[in-house]
Amino acid sequence: MCEVHKNNCFIHVPSGMQPIALSCIVNGEAVAAMVDPTMTLLNFLRSELKLFGTKEGCGEGECGACTIIMNGVAVNSCLILAAEVEEANIITVEGLAQGDKISILQEEFIEKDALQCGFCTPGMLMSARALLDRIPNPTVDEVKEALAGNFCRCTGYFPIIDAVMATAERERRELRK
Amino acid sequence: MMEKQYKHIGKPYNRKEAQEKVTGQAIYTHDMELPGMLHAKCLHSPYARAKILSIDASEAKMLPGVKAVLLGEDAPYLLGLYMVDKRIIAKEEVRYQGEVVAAVAAVDEATAERAISLIKVEYQELPAVHTIDEALEAKILVHEDINELEYMQGVFFPQPDSNIASWNKAKKGDVKKGFEEADVIIENELSLPAVAHVPMETHVTIAQADLYSSKIKIWSSAQSPFAVRQLLAKSFGIHKSDVHVIVPYVGGGFGGKAGIHLEPLVTLLSKAAKGRPVKLKATREEEFNQLPTRAGMRGRIKTGVKKDGTITAMAVYYDWDSGAYADYGVNVGKAAVYSGAGPYEIHNIELHSRTLYTNKVFSTAYRGFGHLETHWTIERQMDLIAQRLGLDPYEVRMKNILRPGSRTLSGELIYETSGSPSDCLEAVAKEIGWSGYQSEEAREAQLKTGKVRGKGLAMLQKAPAMPSYTSTAAIMQMDEDGRIKVMIGAIDMGQGANTVMAQIAAEALDVPMENVEVVWEVDTNKHPYDWNTVASKFTFMGGNAIKKAANSMIKQMKELAAQVLRCHVDELTHGGGYIYHVHHTHRRIAYEKLSRGYVYENGNGIGGPLIAHGVYMADGLSNLHPETGQGMPALDWTFGAHGIELEVNIETGEITILKVASAFDIGQVINKKLVDGQVMGGVLQGIGSAILEGYKFAPNGRLMNPSFTDNKIPTAKDLPLEIVPIYIENPQTDGPYGARGIGEHPMISVPSAIGNALYDALGINFYRLPLSPENVALAIANKDH
């Protein structure tokens, strides 16, 4: 697959259908590619862009492990076709840190031990990020609501909720500075 | 007792690998790609039991991009941990709906899937064994060759011409006399369905087989790389050293990734595909329906009691609906034999545990290993006894509880240092303000509001369920700058054990935490042997091994330093990164100066690179007597208790859990932040088993809910309002810094405490899980009539 030259390059199209040209922004970088029309955004991120931070837990939009932010909204990337993201602005877990400094949200996940096996963590972080972008001072119930589509089998969610609440507080403080 | 003065033990350090996990850098087997890698897919049996009349894979083989197609006849190997009873791919007969009948490796998943759809199988459906009673009747045998199966003798007891994969027993005292002495005899039956582990990363394996030798390289989402190596080598009849297993980050296990699963199948696919690496990633449906579960169970219990609540005799039958293959199931059954009476001293007892073959997806270890199930029986029965006698269930428990000087079910003596069940019960009762069942009047008054509150207690115990000779080892090396690398062959799949191991190494060596690295990505060619990462044994066994390695490293440094400092080794001590003279403390050498051996000013060198090792072998354990179940099965008991307060909506049957207080005597908290994580996560998994989860089978044996749509796990919206972890610290003398295992325990007895609280709230006894809104509402409606 060639990300740069679009249709001039050899690409592998398992469905056998006519590939579709696609351009979008992923973690601040311009991406142009030819994609199999049946390919999900999740597979595009992982197999084509090699962004393996976004995980697949069920492939059916039930578990939230594949959550990314698309145009400011947290979505299950396994339910979206890559072809649908034309012109979209996409953020994955790899796009949360600023340069080599991890974000407050990531710091609070570490501090509150909001992860164990870590497999749901990227999706959980993206759902939390989208919530905080929308509501900078959420209530605990709003956090629970925002994370209800993200399964975690390890932590019991309490530390995750604590981390999101602590992030909200720190981010508001930073903003006031 | 002297106040403990630790620098690292007891400190709530952040987990070492957290930053990699929050930045998306942590690589799981799920994420791995290798040069030339192929993708595999499986075809599954649609029937619970059927004869395979014919398979036609010719079209699949002709599909461009397909590199290998395997059928049962291509995989003539038997697998099994304790009972060697499972084919890698079914041949001639299928024994559960979901069993693999063919597999394909192709250039991508889509091609593999298309090839699978082209394979034509002709089946003849056969009558199947669906229930525990049908299994016991033995009109149909799930394994007609049960009499010929190879098994671990002396530990498991398959019964001839039956569906009983193992019948384990305990017999103690005079049961007949005990029942005669009883004032009241209380009999009940309690049961629960099969439940899935649901790791967020499904099972996934990449295997690469060397075409020209027996060598195999495997990357797997596995809890137990050394068990994979051993079982694969045994099944294929090759040397263990030919099997090289690497475990990257693991996305959760909970027992479901112990033992061996996809590895042999993927190895054969790689071999058939001319040695190209092959990746097989279970779909979520396969995770529910092909890969093993926790068994369903039925407990039939009869207890003789005096009027004051003293238990005089007990007779129990635990029957495990364990599915088509034994896997860990027989060992789950065995655990019931030494732990299935709960943390109580019962002088006269007869206990039977039968692991049964049925035509369902097979079962394996799941966090707590049979204990959530047996405690559902025992801890509900304790409340049912109290109800019958008109006593406080707290008092009935205290009357029979294990105390120093008591003997366990298997005859093991309890010491002051074994941990205290009564401390745990007392702590949770206090935390939830337990004062006995509420009165019928109080209940009636609450009922008028449409919501009823109730409180419940339940106790728990567990010791590692493992072979008597289980062992582990640690290798410790010092880098040139004095930093420490520790290698241990057990897996941190999220439980935080590697951080705890680093704390133990840092404490023993007296170096800063950041100077210790536990090397991730366990590799059977580099890491030292560990049996399995199961049973809540990592902290205990691994911690002891690392402590010994650290002591050996200090000894080596002292021996070298004694030459340089011109004194006897006995005059030296260690601390703060130095070996120094106990009195002339300025006579000292920094660790890093000893790391490659010591170099004098004139260039002379002595000693050499610092490498130490420590081993730990389970101490003093023995096999259980086949008839009486007496022996020494338990490395360390962790006792605990839950107290739960809940509210029931009497219209909808929905349960809101207001508070969970959970106390465990873990001897020594090594890292509170990490233990809290185990408790909160475990309690919520227990709530899942209690209220939400459970397999539903159609009458023809088909699993009806193999997806998250119909088989949900708890989400952030299903949380109790509060979980209060309480740690009792009666140190275990032979544990690392006094610590005991805790990984599995928080899940055990959560359903029992909820069931008991439901009785307090509603005056209704529940005997079967799950306590779903539907089941609770139905019970309320039936009571009204």
Side-chain angles (χ1 to χ4, degrees):
Chain A
M1 163 60 100
C2 177
E3 291 172 32
V4 181
H5 302 107
K6 294 201 175 180
N7 42 359
N8 293 331
C9 297
F10 169 78
I11 62 166
H12 177 62
V13 186
S15 74
M17 292 163 77
Q18 188 63 34
I20 292 174
L22 163 71
S23 52
C24 59
I25 308 285
V26 178
N27 298 332
E29 284 180 26
V31 171
M34 297 297 293
V35 297
D36 186 324
T38 66
M39 179 177 268
T40 63
L41 175 57
L42 172 63
N43 278 343
F44 179 67
L45 292 170
R46 290 173 57 87
S47 322
E48 304 297 324
L49 302 188
K50 307 296 176 192
L51 294 171
F52 290 108
T54 306
K55 306 300 183 197
E56 179 184 329
C58 68
E60 295 169 346
E62 295 278 356
C63 78
C66 66
T67 307
I68 53 111
I69 298 178
M70 180 169 148
N71 298 330
V73 181
V75 293
N76 288 320
S77 62
C78 73
L79 291 184
I80 293 174
L81 291 174
E84 292 177 64
V85 304
E86 180 66 16
E87 302 301 323
N89 186 2
I90 289 163
I91 304 168
T92 69
V93 67
E94 289 92 345
L96 283 178
Q98 283 94 44
D100 61 0
K101 193 178 174 336
I102 62 169
S103 64
I104 293 173
L105 180 63
Q106 289 164 307
E107 282 178 4
E108 288 301 330
F109 262 61
I110 296 173
E111 192 53 41
K112 298 291 188 295
D113 203 36
L115 59 129
Q116 288 182 28
C117 83
F119 203 78
C120 76
T121 310
M124 202 64 87
L125 284 163
M126 301 321 285
S127 287
R129 183 68 268 156
L131 168 73
L132 293 171
D133 289 345
R134 194 161 48 85
I135 310 173
N137 55 344
T139 62
V140 167
D141 281 342
E142 284 168 330
V143 175
K144 285 184 183 175
E145 189 66 45
L147 301 180
N150 292 80
F151 289 175
C152 170
R153 193 57 154 172
C154 299
T155 64
Y157 302 102
F158 281 102
I160 299 174
I161 295 165
D162 288 351
V164 178
M165 294 303 285
T167 304
E169 162 133 25
R170 271 183 67 191
E171 287 185 343
R172 290 202 303 276
R173 235 177 15 231
E174 297 274 306
L175 215 61
R176 281 201 294 273
K177 272 185 196 165
Chain B
M1 200 200 303
M2 219 175 72
E3 191 56 37
K4 292 170 285 190
Q5 293 281 340
Y6 295 131
K7 284 187 182 161
H8 304 290
I9 301 298
K11 300 283 187 304
Y13 288 106
N14 292 336
R15 65 178 61 235
K16 285 252 179 190
E17 80 287 10
Q19 184 157 305
E20 275 182 54
K21 287 179 174 172
V22 298
T23 51
Q25 292 182 96
I27 292 296
Y28 299 74
T29 309
H30 179 81
D31 304 318
M32 286 183 61
E33 290 179 339
L34 293 174
M37 190 176 85
L38 302 170
H39 298 266
K41 287 282 173 190
C42 298
L43 180 66
H44 307 99
S45 163
Y47 299 112
R49 184 162 173 261
K51 213 182 241 354
I52 300 173
L53 299 175
S54 68
I55 303 188
D56 179 2
S58 53
E59 269 188 76
K61 284 179 182 164
M62 294 304 291
L63 189 71
V66 170
K67 301 294 176 187
V69 178
L70 287 185
L71 308 177
E73 65 208 40
D74 307 313
Y77 306 100
L78 278 173
L79 267 178
L81 277 159
Y82 303 117
M83 296 283 296
V84 186
D85 60 1
K86 188 174 186 307
R87 300 188 67 90
I88 295 168
I89 301 175
K91 191 187 161 199
E92 289 161 10
E93 186 175 345
V94 287
R95 295 190 173 86
Y96 70 96
Q97 183 250 319
E99 184 162 11
V100 175
V101 294
V104 168
V107 290
D108 54 44
E109 285 189 20
T111 308
E113 222 155 77
R114 209 168 310 134
I116 285 292
S117 72
L118 295 173
I119 299 174
K120 295 180 198 80
V121 189
E122 208 185 327
Y123 296 97
Q124 181 195 344
E125 194 178 356
L126 298 170
V129 178
H130 299 297
T131 64
I132 286 169
D133 287 324
E134 285 172 10
L136 288 170
E137 273 172 30
K139 281 187 192 150
I140 300 163
L141 295 187
V142 176
H143 290 270
E144 278 165 359
D145 56 353
I146 185 166
N147 301 355
E148 281 95 57
L149 294 176
E150 184 194 333
Y151 67 98
M152 191 188 268
Q153 301 205 6
V155 182
F156 300 107
F157 308 96
Q159 302 295 306
D161 307 313
S162 79
N163 288 307
I164 302 173
S166 187
W167 187 332
N168 290 65
K169 297 170 192 170
K171 213 169 206 174
K172 210 170 121 172
D174 189 334
V175 180
K176 191 165 167 282
K177 190 159 156 267
F179 278 117
E180 282 165 8
E181 283 167 9
D183 295 323
V184 184
I185 292 172
I186 297 158
E187 275 189 86
N188 283 296
E189 180 180 312
L190 295 111
S191 62
L192 65 172
V195 159
H197 305 74
V198 192
M200 291 318 297
E201 181 192 35
T202 58
H203 284 68
V204 51
T205 296
I206 301 170
Q208 185 160 23
D210 183 338
L211 264 194
Y212 309 103
S213 77
S214 311
K215 285 194 183 302
I216 299 163
K217 196 167 178 182
I218 287 170
W219 297 260
S220 195
S221 180
Q223 287 178 225
S224 306
F226 290 89
V228 170
R229 183 176 77 165
Q230 186 226 323
L231 294 164
L232 198 78
K234 181 168 183 269
S235 180
F236 289 173
I238 58 176
H239 292 294
K240 289 189 185 78
S241 55
D242 285 339
V243 185
H244 179 186
V245 183
I246 299 165
V247 177
Y249 280 116
V250 176
F254 313 113
K257 292 176 181 169
I260 188 163
H261 297 290
L262 300 176
E263 294 86 356
L265 174 59
V266 191
T267 302
L268 292 177
L269 280 168
S270 171
K271 203 137 219 174
K274 301 196 171 68
R276 285 176 70 167
V278 176
K279 182 178 189 174
L280 176 56
K281 185 178 74 188
T283 63
R284 185 53 65 182
E285 183 172 344
E286 287 170 331
E287 193 67 31
F288 279 113
N289 209 9
Q290 172 193 326
L291 289 151
T293 67
R294 184 177 81 202
M297 197 274 279
R298 178 179 76 191
R300 286 180 164 166
I301 184 164
K302 179 173 147 187
T303 313
V305 280
K306 289 276 190 197
K307 278 182 189 143
D308 69 355
T310 306
I311 295 174
T312 58
M314 198 184 263
V316 195
Y317 269 86
Y318 291 124
D319 287 317
W320 306 84
D321 184 353
S322 205
Y325 300 100
D327 201 81
Y328 266 105
V330 284
N331 206 17
V332 168
K334 184 193 144 202
V337 157
Y338 62 82
S339 192
Y344 306 106
E345 181 161 42
I346 319 283
H347 296 285
N348 306 304
I349 181 164
E350 183 179 340
L351 192 150
H352 300 262
S353 182
R354 296 181 292 197
T355 303
L356 303 172
Y357 286 126
T358 52
N359 289 112
K360 290 177 181 168
V361 55
F362 64 108
S363 69
T364 191
Y366 180 19
R367 194 175 196 170
F369 211 85
H371 283 63
L372 181 142
E373 302 92 305
T374 53
H375 281 76
W376 168 244
T377 310
I378 289 292
E379 286 304 295
R380 285 287 295 121
Q381 175 78 346
M382 293 308 278
D383 263 49
L384 290 158
I385 292 168
Q387 289 169 30
R388 175 78 79 82
L389 299 176
L391 297 174
D392 181 339
Y394 175 91
E395 297 302 336
V396 172
R397 288 185 171 86
M398 281 298 190
K399 188 121 240 158
N400 297 286
I401 208 160
L402 289 173
R403 296 181 187 281
S406 305
R407 285 192 183 270
T408 66
L409 178 48
S410 73
E412 180 187 346
L413 187 61
I414 293 294
Y415 301 90
E416 293 279 357
T417 52
S418 306
S420 168
S422 57
D423 284 1
C424 298
L425 184 59
E426 211 180 300
V428 299
K430 190 169 161 224
E431 183 63 37
I432 65 162
W434 174 262
S435 54
Y437 291 134
Q438 64 181 318
S439 65
E440 196 54 47
E441 298 76 53
R443 203 175 278 141
E444 287 301 322
Q446 278 203 68
L447 275 169
K448 288 184 190 119
T449 68
K451 285 186 175 171
V452 202
R453 289 188 174 194
K455 291 176 184 175
L457 300 170
M459 302 217 57
L460 64 104
Q461 64 171 6
K462 188 180 181 293
M466 60 189 198
S468 53
Y469 47 83
T470 300
S471 64
T472 196
I475 294 172
M476 187 177 277
Q477 304 182 64
M478 190 179 282
D479 286 340
E480 299 92 307
D481 56 4
R483 291 190 164 221
I484 308 295
K485 282 207 166 61
V486 179
M487 314 261 281
I488 186 152
I491 302 293
D492 187 333
M493 56 204 134
Q495 72 275 45
N498 281 0
T499 305
V500 166
M501 292 304 116
Q503 286 179 254
I504 289 170
E507 186 70 44
L509 293 166
D510 194 9
V511 294
M513 258 298 265
E514 60 266 26
N515 283 16
V516 184
E517 186 193 338
V518 179
V519 180
W520 287 79
E521 219 173 74
V522 171
D523 180 327
T524 55
N525 279 9
K526 293 168 189 159
H527 283 71
Y529 172 84
D530 176 80
W531 169 64
N532 263 274
T533 315
V534 295
S536 306
K537 68 145 191 44
F538 194 164
T539 295
F540 192 100
M541 294 188 61
N544 274 332
I546 283 175
K547 238 183 123 180
K548 286 194 198 177
N551 289 340
S552 159
M553 182 164 270
I554 290 164
K555 184 164 171 274
Q556 290 180 48
M557 287 195 289
K558 281 184 183 170
E559 282 166 359
L560 192 56
Q563 296 181 55
V564 181
L565 298 173
R566 299 184 194 183
C567 63
H568 195 274
V569 177
D570 296 348
E571 307 299 325
L572 294 176
T573 188
H574 78 283
Y578 289 93
I579 301 292
Y580 60 93
H581 191 277
V582 286
H583 178 67
H584 306 287
T585 53
H586 70 283
R587 286 166 69 188
R588 61 180 195 171
I589 305 179
Y591 286 179
E592 64 260 31
K593 290 235 163 121
L594 301 166
S595 62
R596 285 170 298 166
Y598 184 80
V599 181
Y600 287 95
E601 273 177 31
N602 72 351
N604 284 165
I606 57 167
L610 268 178
I611 302 175
H613 81 279
V615 299
Y616 186 81
M617 164 71 85
D619 180 36
L621 305 189
S622 63
N623 287 338
L624 301 176
H625 187 280
E627 289 303 318
T628 66
Q630 301 301 291
M632 266 293 291
L635 186 61
D636 61 316
W637 287 101
T638 303
F639 298 110
H642 298 289
I644 284 180
E645 185 178 13
L646 51 73
E647 185 176 86
V648 191
N649 181 323
I650 59 165
E651 285 302 317
T652 63
E654 271 174 300
I655 297 169
T656 305
I657 296 175
L658 306 171
K659 185 172 190 170
V660 181
S662 302
F664 307 93
D665 192 343
I666 61 171
Q668 167 70 48
V669 174
I670 293 179
N671 184 327
K672 183 168 184 303
K673 199 179 280 194
L674 297 176
V675 189
D676 281 352
Q678 291 306 296
V679 173
M680 286 184 283
V683 165
L684 195 65
Q685 265 186 37
I687 290 173
S689 279
I691 296 176
L692 287 173
E693 300 174 42
Y695 277 37
K696 291 176 184 153
F697 291 93
N700 67 0
R702 190 176 178 85
L703 179 61
M704 296 196 292
N705 55 346
S707 77
F708 282 145
T709 317
D710 304 310
N711 208 341
K712 286 214 188 311
I713 62 168
T715 72
K717 288 172 89 176
D718 300 309
L719 290 180
L721 299 188
E722 192 185 7
I723 297 177
V724 183
I726 300 165
Y727 305 113
I728 313 287
E729 294 180 287
N730 293 305
Q732 174 93 13
T733 345
D734 56 354
Y737 299 99
R740 299 187 186 89
I742 183 63
E744 303 165 293
H745 304 75
M747 183 168 183
I748 303 166
S749 275
V750 171
S752 323
I754 293 175
N756 293 339
L758 274 181
Y759 170 78
D760 186 42
L762 299 166
I764 300 173
N765 279 306
F766 290 83
Y767 298 91
R768 182 166 173 75
L769 294 179
L771 307 166
S772 60
E774 184 188 350
N775 292 340
V776 173
L778 266 174
I780 294 169
N782 289 336
K783 190 197 178 194
D784 289 346
H785 291 148

